[in-house]
PDB file of all heavy atoms in Angstrom:
ATOM      1  N   TRP E   1       0.831  -1.206   0.000  1.00 94.00           N
ATOM      2  CA  TRP E   1       0.000   0.000   0.000  1.00 94.00           C
ATOM      3  C   TRP E   1       0.865   1.256   0.000  1.00 94.00           C
ATOM      4  O   TRP E   1       0.540   2.247  -0.662  1.00 94.00           O
ATOM      5  CB  TRP E   1      -0.936   0.007   1.209  1.00 94.00           C
ATOM      6  CG  TRP E   1      -1.882   1.166   1.180  1.00 94.00           C
ATOM      7  CD1 TRP E   1      -3.004   1.311   0.412  1.00 94.00           C
ATOM      8  CD2 TRP E   1      -1.783   2.371   1.951  1.00 94.00           C
ATOM      9  NE1 TRP E   1      -3.604   2.524   0.659  1.00 94.00           N
ATOM     10  CE2 TRP E   1      -2.877   3.193   1.598  1.00 94.00           C
ATOM     11  CE3 TRP E   1      -0.875   2.832   2.905  1.00 94.00           C
ATOM     12  CZ2 TRP E   1      -3.088   4.444   2.162  1.00 94.00           C
ATOM     13  CZ3 TRP E   1      -1.092   4.083   3.471  1.00 94.00           C
ATOM     14  CH2 TRP E   1      -2.185   4.870   3.089  1.00 94.00           C
ATOM     15  N   PHE E   2       1.977   1.235   0.719  1.00 96.00           N
ATOM     16  CA  PHE E   2       2.897   2.367   0.739  1.00 96.00           C
ATOM     17  C   PHE E   2       3.778   2.432  -0.514  1.00 96.00           C
ATOM     18  O   PHE E   2       4.613   3.320  -0.632  1.00 96.00           O
ATOM     19  CB  PHE E   2       3.792   2.314   1.988  1.00 96.00           C
ATOM     20  CG  PHE E   2       3.163   2.951   3.204  1.00 96.00           C
ATOM     21  CD1 PHE E   2       2.480   2.180   4.130  1.00 96.00           C
ATOM     22  CD2 PHE E   2       3.254   4.316   3.419  1.00 96.00           C
ATOM     23  CE1 PHE E   2       1.900   2.757   5.259  1.00 96.00           C
ATOM     24  CE2 PHE E   2       2.683   4.904   4.541  1.00 96.00           C
ATOM     25  CZ  PHE E   2       2.001   4.129   5.463  1.00 96.00           C
ATOM     26  N   GLU E   3       3.609   1.492  -1.431  1.00 96.00           N
ATOM     27  CA  GLU E   3       4.358   1.426  -2.688  1.00 96.00           C
ATOM     28  C   GLU E   3       5.860   1.310  -2.470  1.00 96.00           C
ATOM     29  O   GLU E   3       6.659   1.948  -3.162  1.00 96.00           O
ATOM     30  CB  GLU E   3       4.053   2.641  -3.582  1.00 96.00           C
ATOM     31  CG  GLU E   3       2.700   2.564  -4.255  1.00 96.00           C
ATOM     32  CD  GLU E   3       2.631   3.390  -5.529  1.00 96.00           C
ATOM     33  OE1 GLU E   3       3.495   3.203  -6.410  1.00 96.00           O
ATOM     34  OE2 GLU E   3       1.723   4.216  -5.636  1.00 96.00           O
ATOM     35  N   ILE E   4       6.259   0.494  -1.520  1.00 97.00           N
ATOM     36  CA  ILE E   4       7.682   0.256  -1.310  1.00 97.00           C
ATOM     37  C   ILE E   4       8.152  -0.755  -2.352  1.00 97.00           C
ATOM     38  O   ILE E   4       7.650  -1.869  -2.430  1.00 97.00           O
ATOM     39  CB  ILE E   4       7.948  -0.224   0.123  1.00 97.00           C
ATOM     40  CG1 ILE E   4       7.534   0.886   1.103  1.00 97.00           C
ATOM     41  CG2 ILE E   4       9.410  -0.601   0.312  1.00 97.00           C
ATOM     42  CD1 ILE E   4       7.481   0.475   2.541  1.00 97.00           C
ATOM     43  N   GLN E   5       9.112  -0.339  -3.153  1.00 97.00           N
ATOM     44  CA  GLN E   5       9.513  -1.093  -4.343  1.00 97.00           C
ATOM     45  C   GLN E   5      10.765  -1.932  -4.059  1.00 97.00           C
ATOM     46  O   GLN E   5      11.866  -1.611  -4.485  1.00 97.00           O
ATOM     47  CB  GLN E   5       9.761  -0.116  -5.499  1.00 97.00           C
ATOM     48  CG  GLN E   5       9.761  -0.747  -6.873  1.00 97.00           C
ATOM     49  CD  GLN E   5       9.878   0.309  -7.955  1.00 97.00           C
ATOM     50  OE1 GLN E   5      10.864   1.040  -8.031  1.00 97.00           O
ATOM     51  NE2 GLN E   5       8.869   0.405  -8.792  1.00 97.00           N
ATOM     52  N   PHE E   6      10.576  -3.008  -3.302  1.00 98.00           N
ATOM     53  CA  PHE E   6      11.680  -3.941  -3.068  1.00 98.00           C
ATOM     54  C   PHE E   6      12.031  -4.651  -4.373  1.00 98.00           C
ATOM     55  O   PHE E   6      11.151  -4.944  -5.182  1.00 98.00           O
ATOM     56  CB  PHE E   6      11.278  -5.010  -2.049  1.00 98.00           C
ATOM     57  CG  PHE E   6      10.778  -4.505  -0.735  1.00 98.00           C
ATOM     58  CD1 PHE E   6       9.428  -4.569  -0.416  1.00 98.00           C
ATOM     59  CD2 PHE E   6      11.650  -3.978   0.204  1.00 98.00           C
ATOM     60  CE1 PHE E   6       8.949  -4.116   0.800  1.00 98.00           C
ATOM     61  CE2 PHE E   6      11.181  -3.524   1.428  1.00 98.00           C
ATOM     62  CZ  PHE E   6       9.828  -3.597   1.727  1.00 98.00           C
ATOM     63  N   ASP E   7      13.309  -4.949  -4.549  1.00 98.00           N
ATOM     64  CA  ASP E   7      13.663  -5.907  -5.598  1.00 98.00           C
ATOM     65  C   ASP E   7      13.374  -7.316  -5.104  1.00 98.00           C
ATOM     66  O   ASP E   7      12.992  -8.184  -5.878  1.00 98.00           O
ATOM     67  CB  ASP E   7      15.141  -5.757  -5.980  1.00 98.00           C
ATOM     68  CG  ASP E   7      15.385  -4.461  -6.738  1.00 98.00           C
ATOM     69  OD1 ASP E   7      14.874  -4.331  -7.861  1.00 98.00           O
ATOM     70  OD2 ASP E   7      16.056  -3.568  -6.185  1.00 98.00           O
ATOM     71  N   LYS E   8      13.558  -7.521  -3.803  1.00 98.00           N
ATOM     72  CA  LYS E   8      13.195  -8.794  -3.193  1.00 98.00           C
ATOM     73  C   LYS E   8      12.709  -8.530  -1.771  1.00 98.00           C
ATOM     74  O   LYS E   8      13.429  -7.996  -0.935  1.00 98.00           O
ATOM     75  CB  LYS E   8      14.377  -9.772  -3.168  1.00 98.00           C
ATOM     76  CG  LYS E   8      14.068 -11.083  -2.463  1.00 98.00           C
ATOM     77  CD  LYS E   8      12.951 -11.876  -3.155  1.00 98.00           C
ATOM     78  CE  LYS E   8      12.651 -13.169  -2.412  1.00 98.00           C
ATOM     79  NZ  LYS E   8      11.588 -13.963  -3.081  1.00 98.00           N
ATOM     80  N   TRP E   9      11.461  -8.908  -1.530  1.00 98.00           N
ATOM     81  CA  TRP E   9      10.883  -8.863  -0.186  1.00 98.00           C
ATOM     82  C   TRP E   9      10.764 -10.308   0.270  1.00 98.00           C
ATOM     83  O   TRP E   9      10.014 -11.091  -0.285  1.00 98.00           O
ATOM     84  CB  TRP E   9       9.526  -8.172  -0.227  1.00 98.00           C
ATOM     85  CG  TRP E   9       8.658  -8.366   0.987  1.00 98.00           C
ATOM     86  CD1 TRP E   9       7.483  -9.039   1.041  1.00 98.00           C
ATOM     87  CD2 TRP E   9       8.898  -7.888   2.315  1.00 98.00           C
ATOM     88  NE1 TRP E   9       6.969  -9.008   2.324  1.00 98.00           N
ATOM     89  CE2 TRP E   9       7.821  -8.305   3.125  1.00 98.00           C
ATOM     90  CE3 TRP E   9       9.931  -7.149   2.906  1.00 98.00           C
ATOM     91  CZ2 TRP E   9       7.742  -8.001   4.480  1.00 98.00           C
ATOM     92  CZ3 TRP E   9       9.842  -6.851   4.252  1.00 98.00           C
ATOM     93  CH2 TRP E   9       8.764  -7.268   5.028  1.00 98.00           C
ATOM     94  N   GLY E  10      11.570 -10.693   1.248  1.00 97.00           N
ATOM     95  CA  GLY E  10      11.636 -12.099   1.629  1.00 97.00           C
ATOM     96  C   GLY E  10      11.371 -12.322   3.102  1.00 97.00           C
ATOM     97  O   GLY E  10      10.641 -11.593   3.753  1.00 97.00           O
ATOM     98  N   ARG E  11      12.025 -13.348   3.634  1.00 97.00           N
ATOM     99  CA  ARG E  11      11.856 -13.715   5.038  1.00 97.00           C
ATOM    100  C   ARG E  11      13.051 -14.571   5.441  1.00 97.00           C
ATOM    101  O   ARG E  11      13.767 -15.111   4.597  1.00 97.00           O
ATOM    102  CB  ARG E  11      10.536 -14.450   5.240  1.00 97.00           C
ATOM    103  CG  ARG E  11      10.313 -15.618   4.324  1.00 97.00           C
ATOM    104  CD  ARG E  11       8.849 -16.003   4.176  1.00 97.00           C
ATOM    105  NE  ARG E  11       8.206 -16.248   5.465  1.00 97.00           N
ATOM    106  CZ  ARG E  11       6.944 -16.648   5.584  1.00 97.00           C
ATOM    107  NH1 ARG E  11       6.198 -16.846   4.508  1.00 97.00           N
ATOM    108  NH2 ARG E  11       6.422 -16.854   6.774  1.00 97.00           N
ATOM    109  N   THR E  12      13.264 -14.708   6.751  1.00 97.00           N
ATOM    110  CA  THR E  12      14.451 -15.434   7.213  1.00 97.00           C
ATOM    111  C   THR E  12      14.203 -16.916   7.465  1.00 97.00           C
ATOM    112  O   THR E  12      15.169 -17.663   7.662  1.00 97.00           O
ATOM    113  CB  THR E  12      15.018 -14.794   8.495  1.00 97.00           C
ATOM    114  OG1 THR E  12      13.996 -14.763   9.496  1.00 97.00           O
ATOM    115  CG2 THR E  12      15.513 -13.386   8.227  1.00 97.00           C
ATOM    116  N   SER E  13      12.957 -17.352   7.485  1.00 96.00           N
ATOM    117  CA  SER E  13      12.689 -18.771   7.768  1.00 96.00           C
ATOM    118  C   SER E  13      12.729 -19.594   6.482  1.00 96.00           C
ATOM    119  O   SER E  13      11.749 -20.220   6.090  1.00 96.00           O
ATOM    120  CB  SER E  13      11.331 -18.929   8.457  1.00 96.00           C
ATOM    121  OG  SER E  13      10.299 -18.401   7.637  1.00 96.00           O
ATOM    122  N   THR E  14      13.893 -19.584   5.821  1.00 97.00           N
ATOM    123  CA  THR E  14      14.052 -20.295   4.549  1.00 97.00           C
ATOM    124  C   THR E  14      15.247 -21.239   4.620  1.00 97.00           C
ATOM    125  O   THR E  14      16.169 -21.043   5.429  1.00 97.00           O
ATOM    126  CB  THR E  14      14.290 -19.302   3.392  1.00 97.00           C
ATOM    127  OG1 THR E  14      15.540 -18.615   3.613  1.00 97.00           O
ATOM    128  CG2 THR E  14      13.158 -18.296   3.287  1.00 97.00           C
ATOM    129  N   PRO E  15      15.290 -22.250   3.763  1.00 97.00           N
ATOM    130  CA  PRO E  15      16.462 -23.142   3.721  1.00 97.00           C
ATOM    131  C   PRO E  15      17.739 -22.380   3.380  1.00 97.00           C
ATOM    132  O   PRO E  15      18.821 -22.713   3.898  1.00 97.00           O
ATOM    133  CB  PRO E  15      16.106 -24.152   2.624  1.00 97.00           C
ATOM    134  CG  PRO E  15      14.612 -24.123   2.537  1.00 97.00           C
ATOM    135  CD  PRO E  15      14.203 -22.720   2.869  1.00 97.00           C
ATOM    136  N   GLU E  16      17.640 -21.372   2.503  1.00 98.00           N
ATOM    137  CA  GLU E  16      18.820 -20.586   2.133  1.00 98.00           C
ATOM    138  C   GLU E  16      19.394 -19.869   3.356  1.00 98.00           C
ATOM    139  O   GLU E  16      20.616 -19.788   3.523  1.00 98.00           O
ATOM    140  CB  GLU E  16      18.469 -19.554   1.059  1.00 98.00           C
ATOM    141  CG  GLU E  16      18.139 -20.132  -0.304  1.00 98.00           C
ATOM    142  CD  GLU E  16      16.693 -20.561  -0.447  1.00 98.00           C
ATOM    143  OE1 GLU E  16      15.934 -20.518   0.566  1.00 98.00           O
ATOM    144  OE2 GLU E  16      16.293 -20.943  -1.561  1.00 98.00           O
ATOM    145  N   HIS E  17      18.511 -19.378   4.213  1.00 98.00           N
ATOM    146  CA  HIS E  17      18.978 -18.666   5.403  1.00 98.00           C
ATOM    147  C   HIS E  17      19.699 -19.619   6.351  1.00 98.00           C
ATOM    148  O   HIS E  17      20.767 -19.288   6.894  1.00 98.00           O
ATOM    149  CB  HIS E  17      17.791 -18.015   6.116  1.00 98.00           C
ATOM    150  CG  HIS E  17      18.191 -17.175   7.285  1.00 98.00           C
ATOM    151  ND1 HIS E  17      18.905 -16.000   7.149  1.00 98.00           N
ATOM    152  CD2 HIS E  17      18.002 -17.356   8.623  1.00 98.00           C
ATOM    153  CE1 HIS E  17      19.122 -15.490   8.343  1.00 98.00           C
ATOM    154  NE2 HIS E  17      18.585 -16.282   9.256  1.00 98.00           N
ATOM    155  N   THR E  18      19.131 -20.783   6.551  1.00 98.00           N
ATOM    156  CA  THR E  18      19.779 -21.778   7.417  1.00 98.00           C
ATOM    157  C   THR E  18      21.145 -22.157   6.858  1.00 98.00           C
ATOM    158  O   THR E  18      22.147 -22.188   7.603  1.00 98.00           O
ATOM    159  CB  THR E  18      18.890 -23.030   7.531  1.00 98.00           C
ATOM    160  OG1 THR E  18      17.674 -22.666   8.202  1.00 98.00           O
ATOM    161  CG2 THR E  18      19.584 -24.128   8.321  1.00 98.00           C
ATOM    162  N   ARG E  19      21.211 -22.425   5.555  1.00 98.00           N
ATOM    163  CA  ARG E  19      22.467 -22.866   4.934  1.00 98.00           C
ATOM    164  C   ARG E  19      23.551 -21.803   5.056  1.00 98.00           C
ATOM    165  O   ARG E  19      24.695 -22.103   5.452  1.00 98.00           O
ATOM    166  CB  ARG E  19      22.214 -23.210   3.461  1.00 98.00           C
ATOM    167  CG  ARG E  19      23.477 -23.553   2.669  1.00 98.00           C
ATOM    168  CD  ARG E  19      23.130 -24.008   1.250  1.00 98.00           C
ATOM    169  NE  ARG E  19      22.329 -23.025   0.525  1.00 98.00           N
ATOM    170  CZ  ARG E  19      22.841 -21.956  -0.079  1.00 98.00           C
ATOM    171  NH1 ARG E  19      24.149 -21.708  -0.004  1.00 98.00           N
ATOM    172  NH2 ARG E  19      22.061 -21.121  -0.739  1.00 98.00           N
ATOM    173  N   ILE E  20      23.236 -20.555   4.739  1.00 98.00           N
ATOM    174  CA  ILE E  20      24.252 -19.493   4.740  1.00 98.00           C
ATOM    175  C   ILE E  20      24.669 -19.144   6.161  1.00 98.00           C
ATOM    176  O   ILE E  20      25.854 -18.922   6.445  1.00 98.00           O
ATOM    177  CB  ILE E  20      23.731 -18.263   3.971  1.00 98.00           C
ATOM    178  CG1 ILE E  20      23.595 -18.605   2.481  1.00 98.00           C
ATOM    179  CG2 ILE E  20      24.648 -17.062   4.157  1.00 98.00           C
ATOM    180  CD1 ILE E  20      22.910 -17.542   1.649  1.00 98.00           C
ATOM    181  N   THR E  21      23.717 -19.094   7.095  1.00 98.00           N
ATOM    182  CA  THR E  21      24.050 -18.804   8.496  1.00 98.00           C
ATOM    183  C   THR E  21      24.976 -19.874   9.063  1.00 98.00           C
ATOM    184  O   THR E  21      25.988 -19.561   9.723  1.00 98.00           O
ATOM    185  CB  THR E  21      22.771 -18.712   9.346  1.00 98.00           C
ATOM    186  OG1 THR E  21      21.941 -17.670   8.834  1.00 98.00           O
ATOM    187  CG2 THR E  21      23.099 -18.423  10.802  1.00 98.00           C
ATOM    188  N   GLN E  22      24.644 -21.130   8.833  1.00 98.00           N
ATOM    189  CA  GLN E  22      25.480 -22.216   9.340  1.00 98.00           C
ATOM    190  C   GLN E  22      26.863 -22.201   8.700  1.00 98.00           C
ATOM    191  O   GLN E  22      27.872 -22.464   9.374  1.00 98.00           O
ATOM    192  CB  GLN E  22      24.790 -23.559   9.097  1.00 98.00           C
ATOM    193  CG  GLN E  22      23.556 -23.767   9.971  1.00 98.00           C
ATOM    194  CD  GLN E  22      22.875 -25.098   9.712  1.00 98.00           C
ATOM    195  OE1 GLN E  22      23.049 -25.721   8.657  1.00 98.00           O
ATOM    196  NE2 GLN E  22      22.066 -25.546  10.670  1.00 98.00           N
ATOM    197  N   ASP E  23      26.938 -21.877   7.408  1.00 98.00           N
ATOM    198  CA  ASP E  23      28.231 -21.823   6.717  1.00 98.00           C
ATOM    199  C   ASP E  23      29.121 -20.728   7.304  1.00 98.00           C
ATOM    200  O   ASP E  23      30.321 -20.941   7.540  1.00 98.00           O
ATOM    201  CB  ASP E  23      27.998 -21.583   5.225  1.00 98.00           C
ATOM    202  CG  ASP E  23      29.303 -21.539   4.440  1.00 98.00           C
ATOM    203  OD1 ASP E  23      29.983 -22.586   4.381  1.00 98.00           O
ATOM    204  OD2 ASP E  23      29.643 -20.464   3.906  1.00 98.00           O
ATOM    205  N   ILE E  24      28.532 -19.550   7.569  1.00 98.00           N
ATOM    206  CA  ILE E  24      29.305 -18.456   8.169  1.00 98.00           C
ATOM    207  C   ILE E  24      29.775 -18.844   9.568  1.00 98.00           C
ATOM    208  O   ILE E  24      30.940 -18.601   9.943  1.00 98.00           O
ATOM    209  CB  ILE E  24      28.455 -17.169   8.198  1.00 98.00           C
ATOM    210  CG1 ILE E  24      28.315 -16.604   6.781  1.00 98.00           C
ATOM    211  CG2 ILE E  24      29.047 -16.128   9.139  1.00 98.00           C
ATOM    212  CD1 ILE E  24      27.367 -15.433   6.657  1.00 98.00           C
ATOM    213  N   PHE E  25      28.907 -19.474  10.346  1.00 98.00           N
ATOM    214  CA  PHE E  25      29.296 -19.910  11.692  1.00 98.00           C
ATOM    215  C   PHE E  25      30.463 -20.891  11.642  1.00 98.00           C
ATOM    216  O   PHE E  25      31.432 -20.768  12.412  1.00 98.00           O
ATOM    217  CB  PHE E  25      28.109 -20.560  12.403  1.00 98.00           C
ATOM    218  CG  PHE E  25      28.506 -21.357  13.611  1.00 98.00           C
ATOM    219  CD1 PHE E  25      28.839 -20.723  14.792  1.00 98.00           C
ATOM    220  CD2 PHE E  25      28.597 -22.747  13.545  1.00 98.00           C
ATOM    221  CE1 PHE E  25      29.244 -21.458  15.908  1.00 98.00           C
ATOM    222  CE2 PHE E  25      28.993 -23.481  14.649  1.00 98.00           C
ATOM    223  CZ  PHE E  25      29.316 -22.835  15.836  1.00 98.00           C
ATOM    224  N   LEU E  26      30.377 -21.885  10.763  1.00 98.00           N
ATOM    225  CA  LEU E  26      31.432 -22.906  10.687  1.00 98.00           C
ATOM    226  C   LEU E  26      32.777 -22.286  10.317  1.00 98.00           C
ATOM    227  O   LEU E  26      33.825 -22.720  10.819  1.00 98.00           O
ATOM    228  CB  LEU E  26      31.041 -23.983   9.679  1.00 98.00           C
ATOM    229  CG  LEU E  26      29.867 -24.887  10.117  1.00 98.00           C
ATOM    230  CD1 LEU E  26      29.408 -25.766   8.965  1.00 98.00           C
ATOM    231  CD2 LEU E  26      30.261 -25.734  11.326  1.00 98.00           C
ATOM    232  N   LYS E  27      32.771 -21.269   9.476  1.00 98.00           N
ATOM    233  CA  LYS E  27      34.025 -20.600   9.115  1.00 98.00           C
ATOM    234  C   LYS E  27      34.561 -19.782  10.284  1.00 98.00           C
ATOM    235  O   LYS E  27      35.778 -19.738  10.520  1.00 98.00           O
ATOM    236  CB  LYS E  27      33.811 -19.728   7.880  1.00 98.00           C
ATOM    237  CG  LYS E  27      33.674 -20.555   6.604  1.00 98.00           C
ATOM    238  CD  LYS E  27      33.185 -19.750   5.417  1.00 98.00           C
ATOM    239  CE  LYS E  27      33.054 -20.666   4.194  1.00 98.00           C
ATOM    240  NZ  LYS E  27      32.353 -20.012   3.068  1.00 98.00           N
ATOM    241  N   LEU E  28      33.674 -19.135  11.024  1.00 98.00           N
ATOM    242  CA  LEU E  28      34.104 -18.422  12.234  1.00 98.00           C
ATOM    243  C   LEU E  28      34.703 -19.398  13.242  1.00 98.00           C
ATOM    244  O   LEU E  28      35.744 -19.116  13.871  1.00 98.00           O
ATOM    245  CB  LEU E  28      32.915 -17.693  12.864  1.00 98.00           C
ATOM    246  CG  LEU E  28      32.413 -16.426  12.174  1.00 98.00           C
ATOM    247  CD1 LEU E  28      31.043 -16.037  12.723  1.00 98.00           C
ATOM    248  CD2 LEU E  28      33.401 -15.280  12.366  1.00 98.00           C
ATOM    249  N   ASP E  29      34.057 -20.541  13.410  1.00 97.00           N
ATOM    250  CA  ASP E  29      34.526 -21.553  14.359  1.00 97.00           C
ATOM    251  C   ASP E  29      35.891 -22.095  13.927  1.00 97.00           C
ATOM    252  O   ASP E  29      36.809 -22.247  14.746  1.00 97.00           O
ATOM    253  CB  ASP E  29      33.489 -22.677  14.431  1.00 97.00           C
ATOM    254  CG  ASP E  29      33.685 -23.561  15.659  1.00 97.00           C
ATOM    255  OD1 ASP E  29      34.322 -23.100  16.629  1.00 97.00           O
ATOM    256  OD2 ASP E  29      33.188 -24.706  15.650  1.00 97.00           O
ATOM    257  N   ARG E  30      36.016 -22.353  12.626  1.00 98.00           N
ATOM    258  CA  ARG E  30      37.278 -22.882  12.089  1.00 98.00           C
ATOM    259  C   ARG E  30      38.413 -21.880  12.288  1.00 98.00           C
ATOM    260  O   ARG E  30      39.576 -22.264  12.506  1.00 98.00           O
ATOM    261  CB  ARG E  30      37.088 -23.188  10.601  1.00 98.00           C
ATOM    262  CG  ARG E  30      38.247 -23.949   9.962  1.00 98.00           C
ATOM    263  CD  ARG E  30      37.977 -24.191   8.481  1.00 98.00           C
ATOM    264  NE  ARG E  30      36.663 -24.785   8.269  1.00 98.00           N
ATOM    265  CZ  ARG E  30      35.752 -24.328   7.415  1.00 98.00           C
ATOM    266  NH1 ARG E  30      36.002 -23.245   6.697  1.00 98.00           N
ATOM    267  NH2 ARG E  30      34.594 -24.936   7.281  1.00 98.00           N
ATOM    268  N   ASN E  31      38.105 -20.585  12.223  1.00 98.00           N
ATOM    269  CA  ASN E  31      39.136 -19.555  12.360  1.00 98.00           C
ATOM    270  C   ASN E  31      39.400 -19.147  13.807  1.00 98.00           C
ATOM    271  O   ASN E  31      40.173 -18.230  14.070  1.00 98.00           O
ATOM    272  CB  ASN E  31      38.751 -18.317  11.547  1.00 98.00           C
ATOM    273  CG  ASN E  31      38.769 -18.571  10.057  1.00 98.00           C
ATOM    274  OD1 ASN E  31      39.394 -19.522   9.581  1.00 98.00           O
ATOM    275  ND2 ASN E  31      38.079 -17.731   9.288  1.00 98.00           N
TER     276      ASN E  31
END
């Protein structure tokens, strides 16, 4: 209604979010 023109309006409860978050954590842990 406010005409906010996102290129992508998404959400965090997705498989992509789980995969990328876990990948970043594992690299932090490894380092």
Side-chain angles (χ1 to χ4, degrees):
W1 185 77
F2 274 95
E3 285 204 53
I4 297 169
Q5 198 174 62
F6 305 106
D7 289 294
K8 176 62 181 181
W9 165 247
R11 52 201 306 183
T12 57
S13 59
T14 64
E16 291 85 354
H17 185 67
T18 295
R19 174 175 56 81
I20 292 172
T21 300
Q22 290 180 339
D23 181 65
I24 288 173
F25 164 76
L26 290 171
K27 286 168 181 170
L28 286 166
D29 196 21
R30 189 181 309 129
N31 293 340

